[in-house]
Amino acid sequence: MSDTIFGKIISGEIPSEFLYEDEHCIAINDINPQAPVHVLVIPKGEYISMVDFSSAASDIEIVDFNRAVGEVAKIKGLIETGYRTLANHGTNARQDVFHYHVHVVGGRDLGGMIKKES
Ligand code: AMP
């Protein structure tokens, strides 16, 4: 398992409440939520980014992961009001944890998609 905080959560080394779990992924609340709902969907496999995951993961891992993102949106009651999914990769996106994950954010008006340059 990856030596990141998420690898340690998946292995159980760091305790965390799973909002969702299947054979290939988990979902947890973000420790520093940016909105009333801020969930991280994390594949159990060791992938760094979307590019790594989409090229190296098996078809079933990719299918289960996408289903998990949808399930989280449903479980958290976001379908009617809307939500945003995003994944950070690398320096420009300020990725902090180098174990692939998708943020599912909602529960309020999220504003424009990307902060404009001032
Ligand atoms: P990213 O910049 O996309 O890599 O985001 C990493 C996210 O992980 C941030 O939103 C953090 O608040 C979140 N995070 C870091 N440590 C934990 C943790 N132990 N449990 C839940 N979320 C965490």
Side-chain angles (χ1 to χ4, degrees):
M1 191 49 61
S2 71
D3 198 27
T4 65
I5 191 92
F6 296 160
K8 290 175 181 168
I9 286 171
I10 291 162
S11 70
E13 186 180 335
I14 295 177
S16 182
E17 184 189 348
F18 295 172
L19 303 176
Y20 174 92
E21 180 177 17
D22 65 29
E23 188 182 349
H24 296 115
C25 47
I26 63 164
I28 60 173
N29 281 317
D30 195 292
I31 203 168
N32 183 24
Q34 304 299 306
V37 176
H38 187 167
V39 176
L40 305 172
V41 184
I42 309 169
K44 290 181 178 175
E46 287 186 49
Y47 305 103
I48 294 169
S49 66
M50 165 67 90
V51 168
D52 186 23
F53 182 64
S54 61
S55 59
S58 66
D59 289 358
I60 188 66
E61 287 177 286
I62 293 169
V63 167
D64 278 358
F65 186 79
N66 279 283
R67 290 219 169 100
V69 171
E71 278 304 308
V72 164
K74 284 186 212 162
I75 289 166
K76 299 304 286 184
L78 298 175
I79 303 301
E80 201 164 314
T81 51
Y83 60 95
R84 181 171 293 155
T85 62
L86 66 91
N88 293 315
H89 175 207
T91 306
N92 278 357
R94 303 195 187 189
Q95 182 178 8
D96 284 329
V97 180
F98 290 86
H99 183 125
Y100 178 53
H101 53 283
V102 163
H103 300 249
V104 180
V105 185
R108 66 167 169 80
D109 180 350
L110 298 169
M113 192 166 72
I114 296 171
K115 191 177 174 189
K116 291 183 182 153
E117 285 181 301
S118 49

